[in-house]
């Protein structure tokens, strides 16, 4: 699942031509021991029906013997599809999925006969900025807010049932959207089926079921075969591929792990689309996730600066002992 050229799978802006890393330090994300991956990994889970998001996460935590499992956005019990899970030390990554764009396959049932051309026309009317008030049964304050519907793609219609794909900003309630579409059509409508097919960096194609997890874990525990489990539990680096990123040199890794902020001299490369106050992933040259951070500079400032503080807040994910504390070595010498 990890891109072969990770972490440079997107075009980056380079601060230096000197890109060196000591092979004795850190670990290749692809080669982490499976025991460590279980406590520091992500699962692109295909949630089954009749099971809530919290119940699903709790089941996985209990089955794997973990204290914490975070999930990437609540799905109602009857809704299926992508529910990415972050295992134990990787749980901070789950918060970045909550605010990512989503894609759903929707079946809308109309309450009267409506020609397909009219349905297509009204779906187009709901693309762009919309005002939406969360339904009664929701986890947020019920006040009107603005959200973006990027695209509503009509697929087919059979009698009163309309199949379409919704690509939306986080926080759009599809059930409420369907009701509003029915009101504009003048016939009324309700949602009869919903499936999430994309969230954060994950797409439906790579989703794994609970059965896949149970079978793969049992195979590893009983026969020591880990290949199948590695297809289900992915390195946490797979969970941040939707974020802008900053690559740092070996000398800056331990300092960040011990609580320091990132400064310009520690940067090797960075995404050219970084803005101030963005959440970014900080990675080593080997591609290991070091921390999630809030930026204090945008990409243009990072490019032009030779010094200065780049991050204002960090959430460290890497263990402290993987890279040496080089600032202490420098002080002694």
């Amino acid at each position: 699942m990890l891109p072969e050229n990770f972490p440079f799978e997107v075009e980056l802006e380079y601060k230096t031509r000197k890109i060196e890393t000591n092979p004795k330090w850190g670990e290749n994300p692809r080669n982490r021991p499976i025991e460590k991956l279980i406590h520091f990994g992500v699962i692109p889970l295909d949630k089954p029906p009749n099971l809530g998001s919290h119940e699903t996460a709790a089941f996985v935590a209990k089955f794997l013997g973990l204290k914490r499992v975070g999930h990437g956005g609540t799905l109602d019990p009857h809704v299926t599809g992508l529910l990415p899970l972050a295992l134990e030390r990787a749980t901070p990554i789950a918060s970045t999925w909550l605010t990512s764009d989503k894609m759903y396959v929707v079946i809308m049932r109309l309450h009267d006969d409506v020609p397909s051309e009219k349905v297509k026309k009204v779906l187009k009317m709901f693309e762009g900025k919309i005002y939406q008030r969360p339904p009664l049964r929701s986890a947020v304050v019920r006040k009107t807010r603005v959200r973006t519907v990027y695209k509503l793609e009509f697929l087919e219609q059979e009698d009163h049932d309309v199949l379409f794909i919704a690509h939306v900003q986080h926080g759009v309630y599809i059930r409420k959207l369907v009701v509003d579409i029915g009101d504009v059509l003048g016939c009324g409508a309700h949602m009869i089926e919903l499936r999430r097919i994309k969230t954060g960096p994950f797409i439906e194609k790579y989703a794994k079921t609970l059965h896949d997890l149970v079978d793969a874990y049992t195979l590893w525990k009983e026969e020591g075969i880990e290949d199948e489990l590695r297809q289900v539990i992915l390195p946490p680096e797979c969970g941040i591929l939707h974020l802008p990123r900053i690559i740092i040199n070996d000398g800056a890794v331990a300092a960040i792990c011990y609580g320091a902020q990132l400064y310009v001299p520690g940067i090797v490369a960075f995404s050219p689309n970084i803005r101030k106050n963005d959440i970014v992933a900080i990675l080593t040259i080997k591609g290991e996730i070091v921390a999630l951070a809030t930026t204090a500079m945008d990409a243009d400032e990072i490019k032009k600066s030779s010094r200065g503080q780049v991050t204002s807040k960090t959430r460290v994910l890497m263990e402290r002992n993987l890279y040496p504390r080089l600032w202490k070595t420098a002080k002694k010498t």
Side-chain angles (χ1 to χ4, degrees), residues 55-112:
E55 293 173 298
T56 304
F59 170 84
V60 171
K62 184 176 181 179
F63 180 72
L64 296 177
L66 304 177
K67 295 179 181 178
R68 295 175 297 160
V69 171
H71 64 76
T74 301
L75 290 178
D76 291 341
H78 68 281
V79 177
T80 65
L82 271 169
L83 180 72
L85 302 177
L87 311 181
E88 214 151 76
R89 281 185 40 241
T91 51
I93 295 173
S95 64
T96 71
W97 302 331
L98 299 176
T99 56
S100 64
D101 297 340
K102 321 290 183 188
M103 288 185 71
Y104 300 90
V105 175
V106 189
I107 299 180
M108 172 177 66
R109 177 157 293 170
L110 307 176
H111 297 168
D112 204 347

Side-chain angles (χ1 to χ4, degrees), residues 36-57:
K36 182 176 286 189
L37 198 60
I38 291 171
H39 293 267
F40 189 43
V42 297
I43 301 175
L45 190 75
D46 187 341
K47 189 188 82 65
N50 304 318
L51 198 62
S53 297
H54 297 298
E55 293 173 298
T56 304

Side-chain angles (χ1 to χ4, degrees), residues 44-242:
L45 190 75
D46 187 341
K47 189 188 82 65
N50 304 318
L51 198 62
S53 297
H54 297 298
E55 293 173 298
T56 304
F59 170 84
V60 171
K62 184 176 181 179
F63 180 72
L64 296 177
L66 304 177
K67 295 179 181 178
R68 295 175 297 160
V69 171
H71 64 76
T74 301
L75 290 178
D76 291 341
H78 68 281
V79 177
T80 65
L82 271 169
L83 180 72
L85 302 177
L87 311 181
E88 214 151 76
R89 281 185 40 241
T91 51
I93 295 173
S95 64
T96 71
W97 302 331
L98 299 176
T99 56
S100 64
D101 297 340
K102 321 290 183 188
M103 288 185 71
Y104 300 90
V105 175
V106 189
I107 299 180
M108 172 177 66
R109 177 157 293 170
L110 307 176
H111 297 168
D112 204 347
D113 294 333
V114 179
S116 295
E117 289 307 312
K118 183 176 180 180
V119 174
K120 292 177 185 178
K121 183 178 179 181
V122 170
L123 288 178
K124 280 290 180 184
M125 291 172 56
F126 277 84
E127 292 180 350
K129 300 288 185 183
I130 65 169
Y131 292 92
Q132 192 177 70
R133 189 177 188 184
L136 285 171
R137 293 183 180 181
S138 63
V140 298
V141 177
R142 292 192 69 238
K143 67 176 184 179
T144 302
R145 53 189 186 173
V146 178
R147 286 294 183 267
T148 301
V149 174
Y150 301 111
K151 187 175 180 62
L152 298 179
E153 181 183 353
F154 177 94
L155 296 179
E156 62 179 285
Q157 181 174 351
E158 183 175 324
D159 297 327
H160 290 174
D161 291 343
V162 178
L163 179 68
F164 66 94
I165 293 176
H167 181 194
V168 299
Q169 182 185 9
H170 70 92
V172 171
Y173 286 88
I174 303 298
R175 185 189 302 278
K176 181 66 167 61
L177 179 65
V178 166
V179 170
D180 292 342
I181 291 171
D183 289 343
V184 174
L185 284 169
C187 65
H190 67 278
M191 185 186 78
I192 63 170
E193 194 168 331
L194 182 66
R195 178 171 177 80
R196 187 156 67 191
I197 59 173
K198 184 181 186 302
T199 181
F202 301 112
I203 58 176
E204 181 185 35
K205 177 180 177 181
Y206 298 108
K208 301 295 182 179
T209 66
L210 286 175
H211 293 292
D212 293 331
L213 172 62
V214 171
D215 290 347
Y217 185 79
T218 302
L219 185 64
W220 170 65
K221 291 293 285 187
E222 294 182 355
E223 301 185 31
I225 299 173
E226 61 183 55
D227 291 350
E228 293 296 321
L229 191 55
R230 287 186 179 275
Q231 293 298 313
V232 178
I233 304 178
L234 308 177
E237 288 79 8
C238 288
I240 54 83
L241 295 176
H242 60 304

Side-chain angles (χ1 to χ4, degrees), residues 292-311:
L292 298 175
T294 303
T295 53
M297 287 185 178
D298 61 27
D300 193 51
E301 290 174 296
I302 295 172
K303 182 178 181 179
K304 295 177 180 178
S305 302
S306 59
R307 62 181 65 189
Q309 184 174 323
V310 177
T311 60

